[in-house]
Amino acid sequence: MELNKTKYSNNIREVSGLAVVVYKDDVYLSVNTVAGVCTINIPSIPSTNWNTLYKLYIYDSSGNAATNNITLNAAAGQTINGLSSVIINVDNGSVTLRIVGTDQFSATFANSVVSAGNGHI
């Protein structure tokens, strides 16, 4: 038996570096933290027609986030769990982002410690 197929495929992309841009069709960001820290700039939530079904999965695929943190920055005027940024700082840690309002994301961490970031870079 297999799970039901979905209408759209999941876009999985490997990212790294200090200014990762999230694309509109990204579903899963596999973060390579071998070379250094990673900063992911989350796009702003549209002022109208936003959807609570939106999810973005971010995962430390190389298992180095304890040394090379992954920082998620909310767009100006928006928040993630009430903060301007959050950090994945546990090896193999992950987070699921969901839209919960016109200016706020909810981040659910797995294998991670919830940490406040230092704001936008």
Side-chain angles (χ1 to χ4, degrees):
M1 184 168 122
E2 67 179 26
L3 297 173
N4 293 331
K5 293 182 181 179
T6 60
K7 183 176 180 180
Y8 303 103
S9 63
N10 288 323
N11 183 8
I12 299 171
R13 186 165 62 102
E14 183 173 308
V15 298
S16 62
L18 293 177
V20 173
V21 175
V22 177
Y23 300 145
K24 291 180 181 184
D25 64 344
D26 279 337
V27 173
Y28 190 101
L29 296 180
S30 173
V31 183
N32 183 340
T33 53
V34 170
V37 299
C38 183
T39 302
I40 300 173
N41 297 313
I42 307 301
S44 61
I45 300 167
S47 59
T48 59
N49 298 327
W50 52 273
N51 192 322
T52 57
L53 295 177
Y54 175 84
K55 290 182 188 171
L56 178 64
Y57 303 94
I58 301 168
Y59 173 65
D60 173 31
S61 60
S62 55
N64 293 294
T67 302
N68 296 325
N69 295 171
I70 302 167
T71 301
L72 311 176
N73 289 325
Q78 300 191 348
T79 62
I80 304 170
N81 289 0
L83 304 166
S84 61
S85 62
V86 295
I87 297 171
I88 299 172
N89 58 4
V90 174
D91 291 345
N92 301 308
S94 66
V95 67
T96 302
L97 285 182
R98 301 179 94 171
I99 296 174
V100 293
T102 57
D103 61 356
Q104 53 190 306
F105 287 93
S106 170
T108 304
F109 290 83
N111 300 327
S112 295
V113 176
V114 177
S115 296
N118 294 325
H120 296 299
I121 295 178

